[in-house]
Amino acid sequence: GQNIDQPTEMTATEGAIVQINCTYQTSGFNGLFWYQQHAGEAPTFLSYNVLDGLEEKGRFSSFLSRSKGYSYLLLKELQMKDSASYLCAVRDGDYKLSFGAGTTVTVRA
Amino acid sequence: NAGVTQTPKFRILKIGQSMTLQCTQDMNHNYMYWYRQDPGMGLKLIYYSVGAGITDKGEVPNGYNVSRSTTEDFPLRLELAAPSQTSVYFCASSKKQESQPQHFGDGTRLSIL
């Protein structure tokens, strides 16, 4: 089976940095995705990592360590609109994704 | 550019009724997926398809059926609705390449009473 763990909730202040960790134990590994999901809306793609290291996209960065089964999503210069759920998903070797339960980030003024 | 379109957006069913959730995509994606999302839980894969005429079970297929007669459409059928099927249902599609993300529809919020 697949086991993907991420914290349930995080709170941070506008302008600050938040790091959302994701650990996984899967039968295979063929890439890790991060999605953002605002309340009542569909998930939208943020980032993809398949090799070890850091991928940067503007205010968002994602890191992967395959040997440790670990990834994080870094959100910098937090804005109120970043309040959302962030989903970690692992592709375990074929076309399917296994999702974590999601981390709800609340940004306070 | 419509992307992935799901209908209806909301529905209330009585126990034992049946219905079809519609999903269509205009991106010419080979792969399509149906998920359900319950509060505090991750997205769970119900069924998926890698092309027209090909479907396969995901993690939670019981109580559901699918078909894929065209590249564009991937309907999900509930035959005998049960309260445990109350959930938000998302359809998604993706290109064949492994690095390509899945694109999601806006979801169908289904209540079984």
Side-chain angles (χ1 to χ4, degrees):
Chain A
Q2 321 295 35
N3 190 24
I4 300 169
D5 290 319
Q6 44 181 136
T8 303
E9 294 180 335
M10 301 183 75
T11 301
T13 305
E14 198 173 14
I17 298 173
V18 69
Q19 177 174 314
I20 306 169
N21 296 325
C22 172
T23 58
Y24 61 90
Q25 291 177 306
T26 56
S27 54
F29 181 82
N30 204 18
L32 187 144
F33 293 81
W34 284 96
Y35 284 84
Q36 180 190 59
Q37 185 178 24
H38 285 101
E41 297 184 7
T44 55
F45 169 71
L46 286 179
S47 69
Y48 170 73
N49 295 71
V50 68
L51 299 176
D52 290 352
L54 188 68
E55 295 281 342
E56 297 188 82
K57 271 188 180 183
R59 294 189 298 114
F60 292 1
S61 304
S62 57
F63 172 83
L64 176 67
S65 169
R66 290 172 295 171
S67 63
K68 296 182 179 178
Y70 169 69
S71 174
Y72 68 73
L73 180 69
L74 195 69
L75 285 62
K76 294 176 278 190
E77 300 170 16
L78 278 173
Q79 302 176 8
M80 299 300 288
K81 67 179 181 180
D82 297 330
S83 291
S85 183
Y86 292 84
L87 312 177
C88 174
V90 174
R91 176 168 281 148
D92 65 1
D94 52 14
Y95 318 111
K96 298 176 287 184
L97 292 180
S98 295
F99 283 82
T103 300
T104 299
V105 172
T106 302
V107 181
R108 298 178 303 188
Chain B
N1 193 4
V4 179
T5 302
Q6 291 184 237
T7 56
K9 294 192 184 304
F10 304 93
R11 185 73 184 268
I12 298 175
L13 282 182
K14 294 182 179 178
I15 295 171
Q17 286 186 319
S18 62
M19 78 163 294
T20 299
L21 281 65
Q22 301 292 345
C23 175
T24 187
Q25 53 94 7
D26 63 358
M27 297 174 283
N28 200 31
H29 286 170
N30 296 98
Y31 301 151
M32 296 188 75
Y33 315 82
W34 274 105
Y35 295 91
R36 60 177 288 172
Q37 186 176 38
D38 300 310
M41 307 285 286
L43 290 156
K44 301 293 185 185
L45 183 65
I46 304 171
Y47 270 95
Y48 67 102
S49 169
V50 299
I54 305 170
T55 62
D56 208 346
K57 295 178 180 179
E59 186 179 357
V60 290
N62 292 344
Y64 307 94
N65 280 300
V66 294
S67 60
R68 184 97 182 268
S69 57
T70 66
T71 299
E72 294 79 19
D73 300 308
F74 191 40
L76 178 72
R77 178 87 177 159
L78 282 72
E79 290 295 348
L80 288 171
S84 62
Q85 293 177 306
T86 293
S87 189
V88 180
Y89 291 84
F90 287 101
C91 179
S93 71
S94 68
K95 291 182 180 178
K96 191 173 182 179
Q97 291 84 359
E98 290 167 347
S99 63
Q100 295 299 307
Q102 294 182 13
H103 299 265
F104 287 81
D106 289 337
T108 295
R109 283 145 186 83
L110 181 63
S111 295
I112 316 294
L113 303 176

